[in-house]
Amino acid sequence: MPDAIRAVLVEQYGAEDVELLMADYGLTVLQPVSVPPHAPEPDPVSVYNSPAGRAFGSQKPYCEVVRDGRARLHLPVSVRGDRLGVLSVTLSGAEAARRYEDELAEVADVLGREILVAERDTDLYLQARRKDRLTLAAEMQWQLLPGRSCSRAEYDLGAQLEPAYAIFGDNFDWSATADRLMLYVTNGMGEGIEASLLTNLAINALRNARRAGISIADQAALADQAVYAHYQGRCYLSVLMFDFDLATGRASVVDAGSPQLLRLRGGTVERVTFDAQLPLGMFEETDYVAQEFRVEPGDRLVFVSDGVHAVASPKGEAYGDAALASAIHSTRLLPAAEVPGAILRELTGHRGKPVADDDALVVCLDWRGRPSVR
């Protein structure tokens, strides 16, 4: 497919060079798809301080003037808000870039959708996302995720897991229909493959129940039974579950464990608490009760696992005590897709060491509400 795109852009737009770059799992670099798997790679392109990274971060085309007056147009490749990478096209000059920008942006949009289809049959694009080798547990977890961001008229979603190449238990899942959004934030116990197997069992049990069309409380109960039947209480999984009505902002919530929710509303960050219920799989045939919750247009909801809120500084201060609220406030102007990464970078500074003792998950939901119909 990259060769086909390249041939068309050369023929139809006079492109002199075409490169498809994929964002790595840590969302720190953009890597070329054209490099053969397992071959020595050129220096990756930074997401933070490069022209291609500027297009990726802003999700808008960016024109870079290069040698001999040529122009390189960097175009974000995304699908429904899920940021995949950047299509970089070198043209004869700035005038050609201006003339073709809108058409090439449409090409990049189509390319994003085709990549999702192609990934069913090839590892090419998944390999291009790897700056380092994934652990087996991390491989299982990334394959379980729905994406890392999503946008609709009513909301923007963004999420990130760290350490990206060695995660094992934390996870998130979402599913939307025309009228509802279901969101799960999970924190599995254990380490390595065992933690990943536990999360895979629980998430697929939740999905199975969700796709049967039952309520969120019964989804939790059925997943609880599935986990207990296998582990007999030896292992369990914490989950915070939401079922949002897109038209009204009302939500049903099941809080079964350690993930926490903080809300930014009107410039104020506050922790939102619910009635705590037992984690999935701790005891046999646990009953779950959904609580009511309401989100308002302009709210930002930030969900974190205990690998975020419980992390202590060298002085012993938990990140969730004050630093987390400060990080949420300081990132208030960033889009939802960039907030999780920014908070996780702040967490590294708070922790005082580069390597975490536990995996960490941040999910950000910006709520706009359903636009009024006139």
Side-chain angles (χ1 to χ4, degrees):
M1 187 168 61
D3 290 339
I5 289 286
R6 186 176 295 108
V8 169
L9 297 188
V10 169
E11 178 184 351
Q12 299 294 327
Y13 298 95
E16 300 181 14
D17 185 55
V18 179
E19 188 72 79
L20 173 60
L21 304 168
M22 299 293 290
D24 87 302
Y25 286 103
L27 292 177
T28 60
V29 297
L30 296 162
Q31 305 200 123
V33 174
S34 59
V35 176
H38 313 302
E41 296 182 1
D43 292 335
V45 178
S46 172
V47 165
Y48 305 117
N49 55 9
S50 68
R54 181 167 176 172
F56 183 80
S58 68
Q59 287 296 286
K60 296 179 181 178
Y62 178 73
C63 184
E64 173 193 9
V65 178
V66 292
R67 62 188 185 282
D68 300 328
R70 292 178 174 83
R72 183 174 294 125
L73 194 57
H74 302 283
L75 306 143
V77 178
S78 305
V79 183
R80 294 182 297 278
D82 191 11
R83 304 175 176 200
L84 304 181
V86 172
L87 179 66
S88 296
V89 183
T90 303
L91 300 167
S92 59
E95 176 58 33
R98 284 191 292 271
R99 185 185 320 132
Y100 298 135
E101 179 178 305
D102 290 345
E103 292 181 27
L104 291 175
E106 290 185 21
V107 171
D109 284 342
V110 172
L111 178 59
R113 297 185 182 94
E114 292 302 319
I115 287 173
L116 291 189
V117 175
E119 282 184 343
R120 300 174 184 175
D121 303 306
T122 179
D123 288 334
L124 180 66
Y125 305 101
L126 295 176
Q127 288 172 321
R129 293 173 58 184
R130 293 160 196 243
K131 181 169 65 72
D132 299 303
R133 181 173 179 178
L134 291 176
T135 64
L136 177 55
E139 183 87 51
M140 295 168 66
Q141 291 295 74
W142 283 111
Q143 290 299 305
L144 193 61
L145 298 176
R148 285 184 292 196
S149 51
C150 179
S151 293
R152 281 187 47 167
E154 298 88 355
Y155 61 83
D156 290 322
L157 261 171
Q160 181 63 6
L161 290 160
E162 291 290 351
Y165 293 84
I167 53 172
F168 36 80
D170 290 359
N171 194 273
F172 57 88
D173 192 32
W174 58 64
S175 176
T177 66
D179 299 310
R180 310 200 72 82
L181 167 68
M182 289 196 184
L183 172 64
Y184 312 143
V185 180
T186 58
N187 186 180
M189 68 176 294
E191 297 182 359
I193 294 296
E194 290 304 317
S196 183
L197 288 170
L198 169 63
T199 302
N200 269 261
L201 173 60
I203 290 294
N204 279 292
L206 287 169
R207 288 175 175 173
N208 179 256
R210 182 182 74 213
R211 291 163 185 169
I214 64 177
S215 71
I216 196 168
D218 288 338
Q219 292 174 34
L222 289 176
D224 170 75
Q225 292 174 23
V227 174
Y228 185 85
H230 186 77
Y231 290 100
Q232 297 294 303
R234 297 187 308 275
C235 297
Y236 48 85
L237 180 129
S238 298
V239 59
L240 186 55
M241 304 170 61
F242 283 76
D243 180 6
F244 293 95
D245 184 323
L246 299 182
T248 65
R250 294 189 179 92
S252 296
V253 182
V254 172
D255 183 352
S258 60
Q260 293 186 5
L261 167 63
L262 291 93
R263 177 176 60 202
L264 174 62
R265 174 183 288 175
T268 301
V269 178
E270 59 182 339
R271 184 183 168 197
V272 180
T273 59
F274 304 98
D275 292 338
Q277 302 180 69
L278 293 171
L280 305 186
M282 182 173 282
F283 298 106
E284 188 173 12
E285 296 184 355
T286 303
D287 290 326
Y288 292 89
V289 178
Q291 295 178 247
E292 294 302 311
F293 175 69
R294 187 183 181 96
V295 63
E296 297 180 359
D299 282 356
R300 167 168 284 180
L301 306 181
V302 178
F303 308 84
V304 297
S305 66
D306 63 3
V308 176
H309 64 76
V311 170
S313 70
K315 295 182 179 180
E317 179 185 4
Y319 190 61
D321 289 345
L324 176 56
S326 177
I328 292 171
H329 192 268
S330 67
T331 58
R332 65 191 182 280
L333 299 181
L334 292 179
E338 294 188 26
V339 169
I343 291 177
L344 289 169
R345 289 192 294 274
E346 294 268 357
L347 175 64
T348 300
H350 175 88
R351 187 170 57 230
K353 55 182 180 180
V355 180
D357 296 325
D358 191 7
D359 46 356
L361 163 63
V362 179
V363 178
C364 179
L365 172 63
D366 282 351
W367 189 268
R368 287 187 291 272
R370 177 155 292 174
S372 58
V373 179
R374 297 183 179 178

